[in-house]
């Protein structure tokens, strides 16, 4: 990224891009099944159980269930398979990754005898809440060209704004930067299309002309669309909890959230249309996202009887400050294959920071303990996704996003069921989960279903837990927000193996 010019004046209200969309808001704020192998072995059904470091992230009262000081670290192996269908053509992509996805510890303190506070605990835990390492490839023959994306952005902007004055020492990067600062992201897209000969003015002699035409002709277009993401979102939980009268546990989490993601999107298009002067196109975008956020949780666990427990958790919205930047490049080839146009402005667009508020949630839990032989547990969570919000409110883009959120997102529930059976030093685990789609229209995103298996072995003060979990979901991958707004159907399968090494201290 040599000689990159830094832009600092691209206002969010002027943007018209795949960034800062409703689907991005859900991607940034969503959480996968995460945490220790024991937690994942029960599919996260720990709201009324506690006694696990990742369970603290579900219910803050969990920390005081520990009987002694404890620390653990978890290693995760991720596998993600995506099968896309784009105009009848199936394409499979696979991604794998190895991460440290959990680390933390808890300190437990016994209270004075015959006092209301019989025990209290403090803990610090890190969980990777989402691994963004993923790849989706969609290939097929479309009736719509990528040129329509550039046309939609160029129409309405005078040709005079797309002419590079090389005689005055102006460069492609200079004009691209000027358009971003004075006209917005959409004008930059129109300029890329014009400068690469993908689109032309309907009247080259009129510098005030605002109408453009495609050079890819009419007919069909062979397209190869790729989106690759990498990075993570994580949560640091600072926890405190009390045990009252050896029956009721109360806890609070103060959570710090971090998002770091890079997304590369590329589309390659070719055609053999007789009226086309441009036959091949490649358009690349790289988006960088960094965000920090804060949330809090309140939790309760109660022992109704020696065997029956209940739990309740309130999780506040998470308030994020998001910063994004982007770099672009387009390459086209004409009917004379030796003629190639490459437009790389070498300008990094830095978008104005914005705020994103994720929806809060409430969870109710119940568990039954079969003495020392095992347990069954169930969690039910409700989250109103229509409460997600972009700001500042004076942005046209964010007002539009919030309107889409109100119209297309709804309250969704998730159910997690888990069980554990102990045989001497061994523990066997299994779980099931179902998460409803946040969309009212499930053609955009369907429900997620998953199951898990696991086991643990204890020797001395050391515990080794291993889990496997699988989940699957159908969703729609839209290529661009305007012009080429066709979609590929994607069937996503995720498989995770997690190893947790724990130590009773």
């Amino acid at each position: 990224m040599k000689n990159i010019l830094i832009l600092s004046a691209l206002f969010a209200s002027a943007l018209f891009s795949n960034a800062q969309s409703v689907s991005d808001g859900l991607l940034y704020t969503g959480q996968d099944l995460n945490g220790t192998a024991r937690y994942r072995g029960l599919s996260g059904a720990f709201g009324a159980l506690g006694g696990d470091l990742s369970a603290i992230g579900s219910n803050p009262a969990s920390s005081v269930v520990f009987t002694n000081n404890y620390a653990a670290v978890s290693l995760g192996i991720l596998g993600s398979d995506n099968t896309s269908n784009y105009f009848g053509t199936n394409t499979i992509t696979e991604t794998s990754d190895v991460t440290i996805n959990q680390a933390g510890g808890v300190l437990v303190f016994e209270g004075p005898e015959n006092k209301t506070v019989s025990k209290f605990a403090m803990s610090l835990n890190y969980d990777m809440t989402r691994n963004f390492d993923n790849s989706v490839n969609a290939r097929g023959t479309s009736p719509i060209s990528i040129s329509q994306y550039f046309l939609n952005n160029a129409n309405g902007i005078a040709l005079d704004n797309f002419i590079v004055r090389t005689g005055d020492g102006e460069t492609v990067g200079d004009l691209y930067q000027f358009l971003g600062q004075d006209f917005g992201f959409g004008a930059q897209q129109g300029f890329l299309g014009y400068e690469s000969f993908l689109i032309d003015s309907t009247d080259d002699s009129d510098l005030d002309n605002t109408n453009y035409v495609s050079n890819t002709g009419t007919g069909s277009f062979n397209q190869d669309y790729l989106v690759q993401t990498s990075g993570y979102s994580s949560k640091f939980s600072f926890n405190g909890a009390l045990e009252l009268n050896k029956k009721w546990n109360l806890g609070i989490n103060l959570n710090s959230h971090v998002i770091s993601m890079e997304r590369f999107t590329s589309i390659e298009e070719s055609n053999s249309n007789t009226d086309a002067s441009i036959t091949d196109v490649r358009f690349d975008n790289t988006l960088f996202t960094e965000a920090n956020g804060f949330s809090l949780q309140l939790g309760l666990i109660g022992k109704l009887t020696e065997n029956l427990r209940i739990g309740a958790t309130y999780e506040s919205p998470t308030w994020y400050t998001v910063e994004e930047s982007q770099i672009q490049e387009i390459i086209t080839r004409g009917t004379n294959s030796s003629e190639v146009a490459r437009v790389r402005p070498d300008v990094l667009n830095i978008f104005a920071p914005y705020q994103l508020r994720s929806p809060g949630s409430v969870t109710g839990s119940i568990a039954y303990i079969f003495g020392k032989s095992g347990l069954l547990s169930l969690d039910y969570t409700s989250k109103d996704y229509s409460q997600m919000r972009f700001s500042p409110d004076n942005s046209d883009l964010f007002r539009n996003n919030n309107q889409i959120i109100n119209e297309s997102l709804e309250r969704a529930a998730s159910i997690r069921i888990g069980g554990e059976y102990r045989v001497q030093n061994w523990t066997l685990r299994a779980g099931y989960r179902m998460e409803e789609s946040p969309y009212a229209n499930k053609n955009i995103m369907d429900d997620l279903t998953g199951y898990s298996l696991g086991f643990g072995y204890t020797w001395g003060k050391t515990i080794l837990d291993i889990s496997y979990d699988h989940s699957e979901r159908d969703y729609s991958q839209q290529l661009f927000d305007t012009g080429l707004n066709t979609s590929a159907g994607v069937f996503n399968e995720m498989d995770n193996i997690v190893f947790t090494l724990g130590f009773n201290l």
Side-chain angles (χ1 to χ4, degrees):
M1 292 174 52
K2 247 173 147 182
N3 300 323
I4 287 177
L5 304 175
I6 303 300
L7 295 188
S8 58
L10 281 188
F11 297 103
S13 59
L15 299 182
F16 196 59
S17 69
N18 282 357
Q20 304 171 337
S21 66
V22 173
S23 59
D24 283 306
L26 290 172
L27 177 67
Y28 296 159
T29 62
Q31 296 186 13
D32 298 324
L33 181 64
N34 56 80
T36 66
R38 186 186 179 207
Y39 182 85
R40 297 174 78 135
L42 271 70
S43 288
F46 258 91
L49 293 174
D52 180 271
L53 288 172
S54 291
I56 297 170
S58 296
N59 186 335
S62 297
S63 61
V64 80
V65 176
F66 282 94
T67 57
N68 50 262
N69 301 336
Y70 180 79
V73 62
S74 301
L75 175 72
I77 302 174
L78 165 72
S80 177
D81 294 344
N82 292 296
T83 302
S84 68
N85 184 287
Y86 188 57
F87 291 100
T89 300
N90 289 333
T91 307
I92 300 174
T93 54
E94 299 178 351
T95 307
S96 61
D97 192 24
V98 178
T99 61
I100 300 294
N101 65 355
Q102 179 275 328
V106 59
L107 299 175
V108 182
F109 305 91
E110 294 292 336
E113 289 290 335
N114 302 318
K115 296 295 183 180
T116 301
V117 178
S118 48
K119 188 167 56 171
F120 64 96
M122 300 175 62
S123 71
L124 173 64
N125 191 59
Y126 162 84
D127 276 319
M128 178 181 290
T129 53
R130 173 158 284 181
N131 188 330
F132 291 123
D133 288 2
N134 195 29
S135 179
V136 176
N137 189 202
R139 301 173 185 170
T141 303
S142 168
I144 304 175
S145 170
I146 179 60
S147 61
Q148 295 301 315
Y149 168 77
F150 297 97
L151 277 177
N152 279 17
N153 282 289
N155 282 324
I157 298 175
L159 174 61
D160 185 50
N161 294 299
F162 292 158
I163 304 298
V164 180
R165 269 74 178 183
T166 55
D168 297 332
E170 186 177 51
T171 66
V172 168
D174 293 336
L175 184 52
Y176 179 86
Q177 181 182 17
F178 166 77
L179 289 170
Q181 291 174 331
D182 282 39
F183 290 88
F185 185 81
Q188 289 180 325
Q189 307 314 286
F191 170 65
L192 291 176
Y194 179 80
E195 186 67 17
S196 64
F197 307 106
L198 190 58
I199 63 174
D200 266 335
S201 169
T202 56
D203 186 355
D204 288 336
S205 64
D206 182 8
L207 294 181
D208 293 325
N209 182 62
T210 60
N211 298 312
Y212 300 84
V213 63
S214 168
N215 285 330
T216 56
T218 55
S220 60
F221 306 89
N222 300 315
Q223 294 170 344
D224 186 338
Y225 176 80
L226 175 68
V227 53
Q228 293 179 321
T229 55
S230 61
Y232 63 92
S233 65
S234 62
K235 178 172 74 173
F236 291 88
S237 295
F238 303 86
N239 166 268
L242 303 173
E243 181 185 67
L244 305 179
N245 297 320
K246 297 186 177 181
K247 183 175 182 180
W248 298 101
N249 301 337
L250 303 175
I252 183 172
N253 285 348
L254 301 179
N255 302 314
S256 175
H257 301 259
V258 175
I259 297 173
S260 180
M261 191 189 81
E262 179 177 329
R263 178 169 60 205
F264 172 76
T265 59
S266 176
I267 183 167
E268 296 184 37
E269 178 183 287
S270 63
N271 72 80
S272 55
N273 300 326
T274 56
D275 57 341
S277 59
I278 295 295
T279 57
D280 296 273
V281 183
R282 175 169 174 161
F283 180 43
D284 294 342
N285 287 265
T286 304
L287 177 72
F288 307 93
T289 302
E290 300 289 337
N292 291 280
F294 171 81
S295 69
L296 65 87
Q297 293 166 288
L298 302 174
L300 173 147
I301 294 177
K303 299 178 183 178
L304 298 186
T305 69
E306 190 63 29
N307 303 101
L308 184 63
R309 298 181 183 180
I310 59 171
T313 306
Y314 164 75
E315 182 169 2
S316 76
T318 303
W319 293 272
Y320 290 97
T321 298
V322 186
E323 298 179 352
E324 294 176 327
S325 58
Q326 185 179 48
I327 191 167
Q328 301 182 293
E329 179 181 29
I330 184 170
I331 303 172
T332 62
R333 186 184 300 272
T335 49
N336 182 343
S337 60
S338 63
E339 297 177 358
V340 176
R342 178 179 180 180
V343 183
R344 181 183 173 87
D346 281 334
V347 172
L348 183 69
N349 285 329
I350 297 181
F351 304 127
Y354 65 94
Q355 282 69 52
L356 175 63
R357 186 190 73 196
S358 74
S361 66
V362 291
T363 300
S365 310
I366 188 168
Y368 192 85
I369 313 298
F370 297 93
K372 294 183 178 180
S373 61
L375 58 88
L376 286 174
S377 180
L378 181 147
D379 286 4
Y380 178 89
T381 300
S382 179
K383 181 181 293 189
D384 188 357
Y385 288 92
S386 68
Q387 297 302 305
M388 187 172 71
R389 284 293 179 271
F390 289 82
S391 59
D393 295 333
N394 60 1
S395 160
D396 291 338
L397 172 66
F398 294 153
R399 277 199 300 268
N400 182 62
N401 279 355
N402 292 336
Q403 182 64 32
I404 294 173
I405 289 170
N406 289 334
E407 294 173 353
S408 62
L409 302 187
E410 63 181 7
R411 181 176 292 276
S414 65
I415 297 174
R416 298 180 178 186
I417 302 171
E420 192 173 73
Y421 180 70
R422 301 187 185 95
V423 182
Q424 296 180 349
N425 290 358
W426 293 90
T427 305
L428 306 179
R429 305 181 180 105
Y432 169 83
R433 63 188 173 115
M434 188 281 293
E435 298 177 10
E436 289 184 327
S437 169
Y439 286 95
N441 180 2
K442 293 191 177 182
N443 290 323
I444 300 175
M445 179 183 289
D446 206 349
D447 299 341
L448 179 146
T449 57
Y451 64 85
S452 58
L453 300 169
F455 68 88
Y457 183 79
T458 303
W459 68 97
K461 294 185 176 183
T462 306
I463 303 171
L464 175 65
D465 293 313
I466 301 175
S467 70
Y468 164 78
D469 61 88
H470 171 88
S471 66
E472 54 189 52
R473 164 175 266 165
D474 288 294
Y475 68 94
S476 178
Q477 175 72 54
Q478 185 169 313
L479 273 62
F480 290 86
D481 288 343
T482 182
L484 185 59
N485 56 2
T486 53
S487 296
V490 180
F491 176 61
N492 171 256
E493 294 181 278
M494 296 189 70
D495 297 278
N496 296 278
I497 299 174
V498 177
F499 302 85
T500 297
L501 192 61
F503 305 92
N504 291 301
L505 306 175

